[in-house]
Amino acid sequence: QVQLVQSGGGSVQAGWSLRLTCTPSESWFTIHHAMKWFRQAPGKEREFVAGLGTDGMRSYADSVKGRFTVYRDDMENTLYLQMNSLEPEDTGVYYCYARDTWGRGTQVTVSS
């Protein structure tokens, strides 16, 4: 079945940037499907980070507003999360979610 393949995570220092990607194993994303990013820190519940609605409207958690941007590249069939000015509090496993399917997650670690 279709899987969501994620990449772009890593370990960085505070103030640096990362760009996460989420790509289905086949041409699968359309404007009719909302797409979201979540994250989960150890011992904490998974929380909403950012979303892209079917109407193109973007939504962000208060903790990332002004620093993160979610967007979709239809030519590459890929969902992105651009993360700037990263903070230690952003550390966690990030998951993309679309069409009732979760990505396997990618680790983001921010030091200092």
Side-chain angles (χ1 to χ4, degrees):
Q1 295 284 27
V2 174
Q3 296 183 350
L4 300 180
V5 180
Q6 299 184 222
S7 64
S11 298
V12 299
Q13 296 183 357
W16 286 82
S17 299
L18 288 171
R19 187 180 70 172
L20 306 184
T21 67
C22 175
T23 304
S25 55
E26 63 185 51
S27 296
W28 199 56
F29 292 156
T30 76
I31 192 65
H32 303 291
H33 302 110
M35 290 165 280
K36 300 177 180 179
W37 290 96
F38 292 77
R39 69 186 180 190
Q40 186 170 19
K44 299 183 64 177
E45 296 181 356
R46 189 170 300 183
E47 64 177 356
F48 172 80
V49 175
L52 182 62
T54 57
D55 59 356
M57 182 174 295
R58 293 168 172 80
S59 181
Y60 300 96
D62 288 341
S63 59
V64 307
K65 286 182 178 178
R67 299 187 297 117
F68 290 11
T69 303
V70 59
Y71 62 99
R72 179 181 61 234
D73 186 330
D74 292 333
M75 292 294 296
E76 297 182 355
N77 196 36
T78 300
L79 177 71
Y80 297 91
L81 182 66
Q82 178 67 44
M83 306 185 295
N84 297 328
S85 301
L86 284 163
E87 305 169 352
E89 292 74 19
D90 296 317
T91 294
V93 178
Y94 284 69
Y95 302 87
C96 60
Y97 178 82
R99 298 186 64 175
D100 297 321
T101 301
W102 291 95
R104 291 188 176 275
T106 186
Q107 178 70 43
V108 171
T109 302
V110 184
S111 62
S112 297

